[in-house]
Structures are given as C-alpha cells and as structure tokens.
Amino acid sequence: MFVKKDLRKIPQILADASQRAASSPPSLSEEGDDTSSTPPTKKAKSNNKNEIITEMRLGRRAPEFLPSCNASILLQPKFRPALDNLIQLSLYDCGLSSLAGIELHPTNDDDDGTSSMTLFPKLEQLDIGRNPKLTNDSLPDSFHTQFPSLLELWCDDCSFGPTIPNTLLQMHHVHVVRMTMNKLEGQLEQGIGIKYWNHIRVLAMDGNKLDSVGKGIGRLEYLEKLHLRQNKLRLLPEGVPSAANTSLTMLCLSSNLLTSLPKSIIDVADTLTELYVNGNQLQTLPEGLAQKCTWLQKFNVAHNNIDKEESLPKDFVMRFGLPDVVSGQCTKDDACVVRLEGNPMAERRRKAYLEEEKAKAKALEVERAAAEMEVDSDDD
C-alpha cells in the first residue's frame, strides 16, 4: 500500500504533535470512564487538527539528522508531549550512528531525587532498521528503560554484533524482534526463552553468522515464526523445536550448513504449517515427519544432498510420493507443496528423463527420415 510521505521537516512534525497533545482534552480512559486500550493509530499528518498523533514515520530522512547522526532532534524538551503519545515510531534509514540520549534521565520530582522520566511510555513499535552505523556501542545501557510498552523491535540491516546488545535483551515484553542482516556471530544468545524474550512470537535472525542456537528457543510457548535463514548453522540441538513450542507454525532454516534435523521437530506436528530447509546439506529426513506433521502446507527440501530414493523415509514417500522428473516437486498430496529439486536423487531422475526423451526424439527423427527416403524411392 502506498503511503504518502509527510513533506514537513521533523521539527514541524514534532511541534504539531506536541501542540495537539497539549491542547487535547483527556481521554475517557484517563477520566476513569473507560478502561479500553490505547487510542487508534494516527499518522504524523492528520486532517483532524485535534487528533493526538500516535504514529510517526520519519524514515529516509538522513539529511535532517546531520551532523550529529543521533536522535537529539527528537529529544528536545519542547517536543516531550509528542513522544508521550507515540505508539509507532520509524527511524528507518536515517543515517543514525548513535542513539545516545534515549536513556535514564534522573529528575528531582521525588524527595529522594531518584525518580526518572520515560521518553516513550506508550511506544509499541520501533523501527531503527537500515542504519548500518548502529553498533552495540551505539546504544546506552539503559536504552530499554525508555520503552516499557514495546512489543515490536525492528533492527534489520544494522551492525549489531557479535552478540545481541544486552539492553535489547532486557525488553522483556516484546512479541516481535527482527535483527536480520546484522553482524551476529557464534551461538545465538542462550538466555532467549529462559530469561529473555519469553513472550516473543516472531524471531527473525536471517543473514548473520550464527553457528548454533541455545535450547531456550525450545521453551518459547508463544513463538509462531522462527527465521534463521542464511546463517552458518550446522545443527539444531534436540529440543529445538520442542513440544513446548505450542504456537509454532513456520520454521525457516534455509541456506545454512545443516546435515540433519532434530527428531524433536516432530513434536510441533500439531501446529507446523511451513518448513523451509532448502539450501542445506541434508542427506535424509527424520522418520515420522511426513506422517505426523499433517498440517504442513509448504515443505521445501530443495538443494540438499539427498542422494538416493532409499534415503527418503517410507512415510515421506507414502504421503508425498517421489519428485516429479521435470519439476522436482512431490505432488501426491495436493494439500502440501513439497520441493526436492536440486538434490542429487532428483537431478539424476531429471537427467535420465531428459536423456530418454532426447533418445525418443532422435529415434522418431530417424524413423521420419527413413520414411521420407522410402517415399522418394517409390517416386523414382
């Protein structure tokens, strides 16, 4: 969907939002007459001048963040009312190299002088993606304290690594975390699912250099989609996934170095609908996977090292059949798209079929030529 960009400069957008917040009467919920959720989302520019702005799309405005390349333009005291009401904020592709200032700021409101203000008390979605100069050192240690309501964190195409910044792990209520195409290396944080991100539903870590994951992933009760594509994973430990992953519908493991899949993958048979393991080094598949994962709709095993038909479990062949000699897809089960092209077994079948067809065509051509010669001789 096309979204019209607000052509005003950031200070104008913030000033307008602050003015609306200051002049707007208290909501019903604030007066105690209604206990409903937060107000509906409004874009940074609204036709109703009395509506409180709860969404700001400030992406692709790198020149406006110069020369500091940080968020200081947002943090001026006069714009504080605008931040108080934000639910969604995008700082995508803004040339940021630091988020200093988004941190604890002690005040003297209390007698002991220990209270502090929260800059984004209602923010639920934050997008700081495509800011490649953002690193672990770009985030203050108390960054997480400024987002007590955050549910979605988008950090794609940054330079966080080799580990996840600790302050991001402290965002305990997040449902969605995207850190694709960063600089994460080694083992994915073992504490995820144990003491961090226990409520996460979508975890996307594609395009890093992760070589293993901790068993805590197998404890994530609410996890629906796990994306670990284009890493350097050689194996998944038994228990990832596990029966505790009662919401898991999509598992994306393509373009890694996996030589096998854990048997525990069958433990998510009641929920799994999409499984992508293409582009690995698998030589076989777990017994019972095809039989028990009855809800599978997409199963991509293309471009692995499955060498023989005998390497496929019997339950796989019984449900899906052997790959088509041309497309490499298994079409026996109409309810599930299964891809096996690029495996040695499928490529041999395809090559044999093409050679057979070529031989048939050549034989037909010889037969036609002989027939033409016979007709010519009869004419003579």
Side-chain angles (χ1 to χ4, degrees), residues 11-280:
Q12 292 176 292
I13 295 173
L14 291 168
D16 176 40
S18 297
Q19 183 178 2
R20 296 189 193 199
S23 61
S24 177
S27 65
L28 290 176
S29 59
E30 290 173 345
E31 294 175 346
D33 295 332
D34 186 12
T35 57
S36 62
S37 59
T38 54
T41 298
K42 300 298 177 184
K43 297 178 178 60
K45 191 171 184 179
S46 172
N47 292 328
N48 187 339
K49 295 184 178 181
N50 294 321
E51 288 178 337
I52 292 177
I53 294 174
T54 60
E55 177 182 356
M56 285 190 185
R57 296 190 183 105
L58 304 181
R60 295 189 172 93
R61 292 172 177 263
E64 296 186 58
F65 288 87
L66 293 174
S68 63
C69 297
N70 60 31
S72 58
I73 191 173
L74 305 177
L75 306 180
Q76 299 178 41
K78 61 182 178 181
F79 297 145
R80 174 65 195 275
L83 307 186
D84 283 341
N85 293 289
L86 284 184
I87 294 176
Q88 299 181 33
L89 174 62
S90 174
L91 297 175
Y92 178 85
D93 194 15
C94 285
L96 299 174
S97 61
S98 173
L99 292 175
I102 304 180
E103 53 193 304
L104 279 175
H105 292 277
T107 66
N108 295 317
D109 294 341
D110 292 346
D111 292 338
D112 59 4
T114 59
S115 66
S116 61
M117 66 178 182
T118 301
L119 294 173
F120 300 93
K122 297 180 181 179
L123 199 72
E124 296 179 1
Q125 184 184 90
L126 175 63
D127 186 351
I128 54 174
R130 192 166 285 188
N131 285 290
K133 294 183 180 179
L134 286 180
T135 67
N136 290 26
D137 294 334
S138 302
L139 302 179
D141 291 340
S142 58
F143 182 77
H144 63 282
T145 64
Q146 304 306 293
F147 306 95
S149 303
L150 198 68
L151 299 177
E152 298 188 19
L153 176 63
W154 296 57
C155 306
D156 304 285
D157 298 292
C158 293
S159 295
F160 295 122
T163 59
I164 299 172
N166 184 66
T167 188
L168 300 186
L169 292 170
Q170 300 298 325
M171 294 177 168
H172 296 300
H173 302 294
V174 287
H175 291 173
V176 177
V177 175
R178 294 188 54 89
M179 296 189 71
T180 67
M181 306 303 292
N182 274 263
K183 295 186 177 181
L184 302 176
E185 299 179 6
Q187 185 174 55
L188 181 62
E189 170 58 50
Q190 296 187 65
I192 296 176
I194 299 175
K195 57 180 179 179
Y196 305 129
W197 298 351
N198 292 324
H199 300 282
I200 202 162
R201 298 176 183 176
V202 179
L203 181 60
M205 297 286 171
D206 302 329
N208 286 284
K209 295 182 180 180
L210 300 170
D211 59 26
S212 59
V213 301
K215 289 189 176 182
I217 297 292
R219 301 187 183 185
L220 292 169
E221 176 183 356
Y222 305 104
L223 184 65
E224 298 172 5
K225 299 179 180 181
L226 177 60
H227 299 273
L228 293 169
R229 296 169 292 193
Q230 296 180 329
N231 278 284
K232 295 185 175 183
L233 299 175
R234 295 186 178 276
L235 60 85
L236 289 183
E238 285 295 334
V240 178
S242 78
N245 299 128
T246 55
S247 303
L248 190 65
T249 61
M250 180 186 292
L251 180 58
C252 301
L253 302 168
S254 54
S255 301
N256 278 284
L257 303 172
L258 296 172
T259 57
S260 63
L261 295 176
K263 295 179 180 179
S264 61
I265 198 169
I266 298 173
D267 294 338
V268 292
D270 291 340
T271 58
L272 196 65
T273 59
E274 299 181 46
L275 177 58
Y276 302 93
V277 293
N278 49 297
N280 280 283

